[in-house]
Amino acid sequence: MSVNESFGQVLRRLRKERGLRQQEAADKIGIHHTYLSKLESDRVGPPRNPTILRLAGVYGINADYLMVKAGRIPAAMQKGVTETLLREVRP
């Protein structure tokens, strides 16, 4: 998990870590594979919250992390949320 990754870079990394092709991931998320491609390459902005929640579910991660990366959590709260999430993923 890198603090400097864009939303799209995070999505691509998570998908690849799970060994999924774009088509497979898109089918599980319930979106078109071309839309996932655009998300992963940051050619479109982050999706709506329900899609972010489905992404988190399919990739098996805390939705708050994706919400932070998508800019959906107010800046004043991001540092605390990020620190909490980093503690969760570190051994």
Side-chain angles (χ1 to χ4, degrees):
M1 176 187 315
S2 171
V3 176
N4 297 323
E5 284 180 304
S6 70
F7 184 82
Q9 289 170 329
V10 168
L11 294 184
R12 177 170 281 136
R13 177 178 52 79
L14 291 170
R15 177 179 57 77
K16 288 185 175 190
E17 286 174 356
R18 281 137 187 89
L20 295 170
R21 292 178 296 130
Q22 277 186 342
Q23 183 69 56
E24 293 170 316
D27 289 346
K28 290 180 181 219
I29 298 161
I31 60 176
H32 198 274
H33 68 93
T34 58
Y35 181 53
L36 181 57
S37 175
K38 289 176 184 177
L39 287 170
E40 288 184 354
S41 61
D42 293 311
R43 287 184 283 156
V44 295
R48 292 181 169 189
N49 291 353
T51 303
I52 291 174
L53 294 174
R54 288 195 312 272
L55 284 158
V58 167
Y59 293 146
I61 63 162
N62 187 316
D64 290 344
Y65 177 62
L66 289 182
M67 292 292 188
V68 167
K69 297 309 283 185
R72 300 289 161 73
I73 294 181
M77 295 176 61
Q78 285 184 6
K79 183 178 179 191
V81 170
T82 301
E83 289 172 354
T84 300
L85 293 170
L86 288 172
R87 280 194 301 273
E88 288 179 8
V89 298
R90 289 188 182 138

